[in-house]
Amino acid sequence: NNNLQVRERRKDTKRSKSMWNKLFANNNCVTEHTKSRAATVAVLVVDGTRAHRDLWASVFSGCTTKSGVPVVPEVCDWDSMHLTAYSEYGASREAAAFVDIVEQKPDGGGTRVKTVRPNACLIRSQVRGVTPSQDYRNLLYGLQFAGVPCVNSLQSILSFVERPWVFGELLRIRDRLGRENFPLIPQNYYPSHRSMLIGPVFPAVIKVGHCHAGHGKLVIRDHHAFQDFASVMAIDNHYCTGEPFLDGEYDLRIQKIGNCYRAYKRSGTGQWKTNTGTSVLEEIELTPQYKMWADAASQLFGGLDICAVDAIHGTDGKEYILEVNDTAIGLGPTHELEDMHLMKDLILQKLELPQPAAQ
């Protein structure tokens, strides 16, 4: 009886295999994911500005691969995406990342999830925000795990998460080019409150942790206030930096996207943080010195496709470099669309794709 049962089970198994083989032998039996994978090349654009969603679709309109496959931008921000990466995927056993994008339905009736496998990535949002819940480095690790080509490089974006790491490299540039050619502002680094014994030149600007866009910055007027602030630093595990507070006439931003340079002058309206509140942005002449600053900064961490040097023009007529920002830089409104096209060109170069035909 046992032998008979074994023979029957073997017959059932053979019949099941035959049935499934016939089903999958049909050429029309292709999943939606497989269809979309073969029909398009997906570029993941991480951009938190909602108004840019339709703009990116317009910017990439008409782009195709050498074999004529359309290039489609998939736009989302860090907080609306989930990622899984595999070291071996499919028959080719190649590394791959899949991104689930949570987006609103066009009719406003709830949300839907769209799964894409990015062939390349353009990151236009900060990887790490102000709060712990805005730390998206784990998603960045997944893109690196799967080897997704990115603008800027994933290694450089990770390096730019921490400002002291970047400033240390700027010091190497200053030492190589000289202080006159690369006038980097003096700065002190304090890994914790315990090391805040000798302060910077007062008045001073103190910058706490990794924050951007004016967050975590304050002016300290004297050493008494500095020691008071050190006691505040003791309640959390953050580092901080200190640098002289400069009486500035206006701010400077030297922007480089690929081989395109722009120089801007930004004047505030009473606040010392001219990147917050209301300010006036004006495009100015790109001097040889400004170009040299941008060229030097673009060599950081193996090369930056997109970067901007921020500096200050003091009331004494001297200029000091404050910092360098990478791929998440804000764009001037006058050239925003043109600059987005430049970024698209960088992605096409990463993928070795031709430019779209002229319309």
Side-chain angles (χ1 to χ4, degrees):
N1 290 335
N2 289 337
N3 291 336
L4 180 61
Q5 291 175 357
V6 170
R7 284 196 296 271
E8 289 299 323
R9 281 199 297 269
R10 287 176 177 174
K11 289 180 181 178
D12 290 341
T13 301
K14 289 181 179 180
R15 283 195 294 267
S16 295
K17 287 182 178 179
S18 176
M19 178 184 67
W20 286 113
N21 287 337
K22 288 179 180 178
L23 285 173
F24 281 99
N26 187 344
N27 291 332
N28 293 325
C29 186
V30 181
T31 65
E32 288 299 317
H33 172 74
T34 305
K35 287 181 180 179
S36 62
R37 176 65 177 165
T40 62
V41 168
V43 174
L44 180 66
V45 181
V46 183
D47 190 334
T49 305
R50 292 188 178 276
H52 287 172
R53 184 177 297 271
D54 293 334
L55 277 178
W56 283 117
S58 172
V59 166
F60 277 90
S61 177
C63 294
T64 64
T65 66
K66 293 179 180 179
S67 58
V69 180
V71 179
V72 177
E74 302 290 352
V75 187
C76 65
D77 203 5
W78 293 113
D79 60 358
S80 62
M81 62 181 280
H82 307 282
L83 180 148
T84 305
Y86 305 92
S87 63
E88 296 183 0
Y89 177 80
S92 62
R93 303 179 68 181
E94 61 182 355
F98 291 91
V99 176
D100 292 334
I101 300 175
V102 182
E103 56 186 13
Q104 291 290 330
K105 292 182 179 179
D107 58 3
T111 60
R112 63 184 180 187
V113 178
K114 182 179 185 179
T115 301
V116 298
R117 180 183 176 183
N119 300 86
C121 182
L122 170 63
I123 296 180
R124 294 284 297 129
S125 292
Q126 295 289 351
V127 179
R128 195 176 177 193
V130 178
T131 65
S133 64
Q134 295 172 321
D135 187 348
Y136 304 107
R137 285 177 291 180
N138 286 350
L139 295 172
L140 197 74
Y141 301 153
L143 295 172
Q144 171 68 16
F145 183 98
V148 179
C150 188
V151 173
N152 289 339
S153 73
L154 293 166
Q155 293 89 341
S156 70
I157 292 173
L158 184 60
S159 296
F160 266 88
V161 169
E162 303 294 351
R163 290 189 176 277
W165 197 265
V166 179
F167 198 87
E169 292 301 308
L170 295 180
L171 288 172
R172 309 291 91 76
I173 296 177
R174 183 203 65 182
D175 294 344
R176 175 166 51 85
L177 297 180
R179 297 171 189 267
E180 293 295 324
N181 294 323
F182 200 79
L184 187 63
I185 192 170
Q187 190 177 95
N188 293 356
Y189 170 73
Y190 306 101
S192 73
H193 71 283
R194 295 182 181 86
S195 58
M196 297 175 68
L197 302 176
I198 301 176
V201 176
F202 297 108
V205 176
I206 304 298
K207 302 177 181 178
V208 181
H210 64 278
C211 295
H212 298 260
H215 295 289
K217 299 179 184 178
L218 71 160
V219 175
I220 299 293
R221 298 294 175 182
D222 54 41
H223 71 280
H224 297 293
F226 183 72
Q227 291 306 313
D228 285 343
F229 179 72
S231 68
V232 176
M233 285 288 293
I235 68 174
D236 206 345
N237 186 32
H238 281 304
Y239 61 80
C240 70
T241 59
E243 61 193 45
F245 175 80
L246 301 177
D247 189 10
E249 185 176 340
Y250 53 83
D251 286 354
L252 291 165
R253 165 158 284 192
I254 318 303
Q255 172 187 297
K256 185 176 186 292
I257 302 177
N259 293 321
C260 179
Y261 301 80
R262 302 191 198 280
Y264 292 102
K265 167 185 173 181
R266 182 174 58 193
S267 304
T269 56
Q271 295 191 30
W272 67 273
K273 297 179 184 179
T274 55
N275 62 336
T276 62
T278 304
S279 60
V280 179
L281 191 67
E282 174 188 353
E283 189 169 7
I284 60 176
E285 179 187 359
L286 178 74
T287 67
Q289 185 180 41
Y290 294 164
K291 184 178 183 297
M292 179 180 62
W293 293 354
D295 286 336
S298 68
Q299 298 173 18
L300 290 171
F301 306 116
L304 307 177
D305 300 303
I306 302 168
C307 68
V309 179
D310 288 346
I312 187 169
H313 183 95
T315 54
D316 59 359
K318 296 181 179 179
E319 294 176 345
Y320 295 90
I321 295 172
L322 302 177
E323 62 184 9
V324 172
N325 290 290
D326 66 333
T327 180
I329 59 173
L331 303 176
T334 305
H335 299 289
E336 181 178 53
L337 187 57
E338 183 181 351
D339 289 342
M340 292 172 72
H341 275 279
L342 292 172
M343 293 178 184
K344 175 262 299 179
D345 293 342
L346 293 172
I347 283 288
L348 296 183
Q349 291 170 19
K350 288 280 183 181
L351 295 171
E352 297 182 351
L353 302 178
Q355 297 296 313
Q359 300 296 318

